[in-house]
Amino acid sequence: MIIDNSEENKRLAGQAHEAARLAYAPYSGFKVGAAALTQDNIVYTGCNVENASYGASNCAERTAVFKAVSEGHARIAKIAVVSEHGAFTPPCGICRQILSEFMDSGAQVILESEEGLCAYTIDELLPHHFELNGHV
Ligand code: THU
């Protein structure tokens, strides 16, 4: 992890905060936003979308990534993840696996902390992610 308060990271974190305002989180009250920058330089934002059947809920990171992939932009260069509470919000395990599918191992996940913007590589967050390795 490195602290990286670059203008690009600050802009992405800001876009993630905008997205968090749209979160549908009546059950947890925990609003999360994400902003994914694709390798071809487009930003897709997403928020968490909960459901009365809790397990059907979708995290902010996955919303952003699925929007990008479904629009034909499947390689994510960088993603910022924030919560409305200003808390450090590292991606859950399922989201790490999803991110690892669409990010190169050195691509960065930007998180807010007391010290500033933390940049983790997806490989730091999820080493040895699951791959089918040619078994299909
Ligand atoms: N949440 C996210 O959106 N991203 C994460 O990586 C962690 C959790 C959401 C899911 C749920 O709507 C709320 O935060 C509380 O768990």
Side-chain angles (χ1 to χ4, degrees), residues 24-25 28 30-33 47-50 57-61 81 89-93 95:
Y24 179 75
S28 71
F30 194 76
K31 295 187 168 195
V32 185
C47 59
N48 52 332
V49 182
E50 297 184 346
S57 301
N58 204 58
C59 290
E61 303 88 310
V81 186
T89 310
C92 77
C95 286

Side-chain angles (χ1 to χ4, degrees), residues 11-126:
R11 195 165 55 244
L12 271 183
Q15 288 169 299
H17 273 288
E18 285 290 306
R21 293 169 56 189
L22 299 173
Y24 179 75
Y27 304 105
S28 71
F30 194 76
K31 295 187 168 195
V32 185
L37 173 67
T38 65
Q39 285 185 0
D40 50 355
N41 233 19
I42 303 170
V43 175
Y44 288 90
T45 60
C47 59
N48 52 332
V49 182
E50 297 184 346
N51 193 272
S53 175
Y54 294 179
S57 301
N58 204 58
C59 290
E61 303 88 310
R62 275 181 278 154
T63 303
V65 169
F66 292 161
K67 281 170 69 177
V69 175
S70 63
E71 296 288 330
H73 304 273
R75 297 311 299 168
I76 308 297
K78 195 180 256 196
I79 186 168
V81 186
V82 308
S83 82
E84 272 215 328
H85 314 275
F88 181 62
T89 310
C92 77
I94 294 174
C95 286
R96 292 179 196 207
Q97 177 65 26
I98 295 289
L99 293 175
S100 70
E101 181 87 20
F102 300 107
M103 297 175 87
D104 297 341
S105 58
Q108 290 175 330
V109 178
I110 309 302
L111 304 175
E112 290 182 320
S113 77
E114 307 261 296
E115 285 72 46
L117 294 173
C118 303
Y120 290 86
T121 66
I122 185 62
D123 206 45
E124 276 181 289
L125 294 178
L126 185 64

